[in-house]
Amino acid sequence: MSRRIEWRLRIGSVLVACTMMVPVAAQESARTEPPTGPSTSGPNACTSSDVFLECSPPDLFGMAALKPALVFDQIGQPAPPPPTPAHTGIKAMIKAMGRDIVNLPSRQNLVWVGVGAGLTAAAHALDNKTNATLAGPTLNKVFAPGAVMGQSYTLLPIAAAVYAFGRIEDQPKVSHMGSDLIQSLAIAELLTQSLKYSVRRERPDGSGPNSFPSGHAADTMAVATALERHFDWRLWLPAYTFASYVAISRLHDNVHYLSDVMAGSAVGIIAGRTVTRHGRTNFPVEAMAVPGGLAIIYVRQGS
């Protein structure tokens, strides 16, 4: 096996693995029933489920809130679709977008920032080899549509059409989904463009200093996440396959590095999750004027 084929298999395996893991990790736990099985009371209480037996150690230092289980609690049964709001008009959509921007700082998004940063750092070592591996006239026809399919001027009209159809036909669920798609794209573009003009990384083909992160990856992953959240797991495979295809096409076109694509994917997931979280404010932060200065107030609301 030649080294070129070997590298293609390695890169393909990494991308497929990331694609398959995204919808699982993106799910919020929806455990509404208490666990069944033997249990004991007290500081060392144990609860059992069908697969795991979890025991709570004594909280000697008050560090129970920092258990690693906080991260893994995000993985569980698929969360139900986001509730349809009472109003899905343009004014309601604008207000919701403002709330989504305010609610970007959250524990869940912080986890995804860490995941995205880790994948980006790991992919950085492959930046110089990945594009060359995916280059060549053989794949031109395969990846040529990706440049157009992942553009915001392609995705936004589709989202607007879904929203308009729902409004015209008086189907709140459809207009709600279209509204979420529009908001996800808007927030993904806001984050992407802010990072592009802050980092100023040169594209691999030398066409400009706006390589990091990939806007195509961010927009398509935002759309995929919003769709997956509205349809549970029924659309995760085609949605994330489409997003991954567009992301890989940017490597073939030599306009982004693998690390750009990883970072853009994380941005898209954060945008899609924030928009479809609807009303959950994990890290509400407010600024208030006080005598002699400014106070930053942080309040965490328990569930």
Side-chain angles (χ1 to χ4, degrees):
M1 182 182 297
S2 66
R3 293 186 60 83
R4 186 181 182 87
I5 297 177
E6 182 181 356
W7 269 106
R8 286 188 179 183
L9 291 176
R10 289 183 180 180
I11 294 169
S13 300
V14 171
L15 292 174
V16 169
C18 292
T19 303
M20 299 296 288
M21 290 174 63
V22 161
V24 177
Q27 293 297 329
E28 291 180 334
S29 177
R31 298 171 186 171
T32 56
E33 298 181 1
T36 58
S39 63
T40 60
S41 59
N44 296 321
C46 298
T47 59
S48 65
S49 61
D50 294 338
V51 182
F52 301 104
L53 178 66
E54 300 178 345
C55 297
S56 302
D59 186 12
L60 300 178
F61 304 100
M63 300 294 288
L66 299 181
K67 293 188 300 181
L70 284 176
V71 176
F72 295 102
D73 280 345
Q74 301 303 315
I75 303 176
Q77 296 298 321
T84 303
H87 303 284
T88 59
I90 294 179
K91 290 184 178 179
M93 179 170 59
I94 294 175
K95 289 182 180 180
M97 189 180 303
R99 290 194 300 269
D100 292 335
I101 293 174
V102 172
N103 291 333
L104 274 172
S106 70
R107 182 177 63 191
Q108 294 162 2
N109 287 349
L110 183 62
V111 170
W112 274 107
V113 168
V115 172
L119 290 175
T120 300
H124 183 67
L126 301 174
D127 279 346
N128 295 328
K129 298 180 179 179
T130 308
N131 291 16
T133 303
L134 293 172
T138 305
L139 299 176
N140 285 345
K141 293 183 179 180
V142 176
F143 290 115
V148 178
M149 295 169 64
Q151 286 281 6
S152 57
Y153 60 66
T154 300
L155 298 172
L156 189 56
I158 294 175
V162 173
Y163 175 74
F165 177 83
R167 294 288 294 170
I168 293 172
E169 297 295 325
D170 193 22
Q171 297 186 22
K173 289 186 177 181
V174 177
S175 60
H176 177 212
M177 181 177 64
S179 175
D180 279 353
L181 292 175
I182 294 173
Q183 294 176 63
S184 297
L185 286 168
I187 293 180
E189 278 295 314
L190 174 64
L191 296 175
T192 299
Q193 297 304 322
S194 299
L195 288 171
K196 280 181 181 291
Y197 286 98
S198 299
V199 178
R200 308 293 291 175
R201 186 185 193 185
E202 187 70 25
R203 290 182 182 270
D205 63 354
S207 59
N210 55 347
S211 183
F212 182 91
S214 168
H216 281 61
D219 289 350
T220 52
M221 196 62 72
V223 168
T225 302
L227 288 175
E228 183 261 333
R229 301 281 285 178
H230 273 270
F231 289 94
D232 296 327
W233 284 11
R234 286 170 287 178
L235 279 185
W236 75 262
L237 183 57
Y240 287 108
T241 299
F242 164 73
S244 299
Y245 161 77
V246 171
I248 297 173
S249 73
R250 307 307 283 163
L251 304 179
H252 168 75
D253 295 343
N254 199 36
V255 292
H256 282 295
Y257 295 104
L258 181 60
S259 55
D260 299 335
V261 167
M262 291 297 184
S265 298
V267 168
I269 291 172
I270 289 172
R273 285 175 60 85
T274 300
V275 167
T276 55
R277 196 156 57 231
H278 289 290
R280 300 186 181 183
T281 54
N282 295 331
F283 286 173
V285 180
E286 296 182 0
M288 183 191 321
V290 296
L294 182 71
I296 304 297
I297 300 176
Y298 160 74
V299 179
R300 179 178 176 184
Q301 300 173 348
S303 57

